[in-house]
Amino acid sequence: MKKALFITFEGIDGAGKSTHIPFVVGLLQQAGHKVISTREPGGTKLGEQLRDLLLHQAMHLETEALLMFAARREHIAQVIEPALARGDTVVSDRFTDASFAYQGGGRKLALSKLDALENWVHPHLQPDLTLLFDVPLEVARTRLDAARDPDKFEQEQSNFFADTRAEYLRRAAEFPERFRVINSNRAIADIQHELTQIIASVLAA
Ligand SMILES: Nc1ncnc2c1ncn2[C@@H]1O[C@H](COP(=O)(O)OP(=O)(O)O)[C@@H](O)[C@H]1O
Ligand SMILES: Cc1cn([C@H]2C[C@H](O)[C@@H](COP(=O)(O)OP(=O)(O)O)O2)c(=O)[nH]c1=O
């Protein structure tokens, strides 16, 4: 049986990660994996209700962090762990690195509090591979302006995204064994070429 993988997609809003998820899911399926594609915040009925609050309702930054992890707890229990236990591969549009980047980097919640939540909610679960889509802020902003109405996070100022991006890159340097940083300021075909190589090397490992 194929080894079940847990793969996460990360990046600031507008970096292009959602664009590439179907492509990577296709690569994994071609390699014989059954793939569960999911997202955070969300992925469960309760999680999607929490997502709606998180993306549209102003709240204290600690409430925001706690609700992100509450949604994650449900997501792990109902979706991620059962899928991995069945031998399915899980692809998630964001996971805990997003809490460190947005609530920690962007909003300045103490990283020690996020460490505590992570150790509580998933002490033994980490992604096998985290694809970090990295672009300059102005590129992300231009893409978002052209694409959609902004939610609560997407309305933040550029210094918020500079700090969010910096925390993502700091974590990529801290956990090089699972992170791959992808220069997302390129043609989609070039990014797909790199993704094909990364997935091939992970599947061969
Ligand atoms: N490499 C790219 N070059 C040009 N436009 C892109 C690229 N990647 C994504 N886009 C466009 O940018 C917008 C945001 O992409 P999306 O994948 O939704 O970003 P994210 O999920 O990271 O917020 C979309 O309109 C998408 O078509
Ligand atoms: C998972 C997670 C997401 N977020 C934020 C990042 C995004 O701005 C937002 C929703 O993520 P996302 O699904 O990437 O938004 P979209 O579909 O609009 O591209 O939630 C956090 O702040 N902390 C978290 O832990």
Side-chain angles (χ1 to χ4, degrees), residues 64-85:
E64 185 178 278
L66 289 162
L67 288 181
M68 289 289 179
F69 275 93
R72 183 162 298 131
R73 186 70 196 90
E74 200 67 15
H75 193 208
I76 291 168
Q78 287 199 27
V79 177
I80 298 175
E81 284 185 341
L84 294 174

Side-chain angles (χ1 to χ4, degrees), residues 12-19 143 147-148 184 186-188 191:
I12 60 171
D13 293 272
K17 68 188 163 43
S18 309
T19 299
R143 287 180 185 173
R148 55 185 181 244
S184 198
R186 290 181 291 167
I188 288 174
I191 298 169

Side-chain angles (χ1 to χ4, degrees), residues 4-64:
L5 296 172
F6 179 29
I7 300 177
T8 57
F9 280 63
E10 301 284 358
I12 60 171
D13 293 272
K17 68 188 163 43
S18 309
T19 299
H20 295 287
I21 289 176
F23 180 75
V24 170
V25 168
L27 293 175
L28 292 162
Q29 288 170 334
Q30 281 164 29
H33 286 246
K34 178 156 183 244
V35 183
I36 305 296
S37 188
T38 186
R39 70 171 179 180
E40 290 204 352
T44 66
K45 188 158 181 275
L46 176 62
E48 292 295 327
Q49 290 172 330
L50 292 170
R51 177 188 176 93
D52 192 38
L53 286 171
L54 281 160
L55 265 52
H56 301 109
Q57 170 88 45
M59 61 185 76
H60 190 281
L61 87 155
E62 292 194 350
T63 310
E64 185 178 278

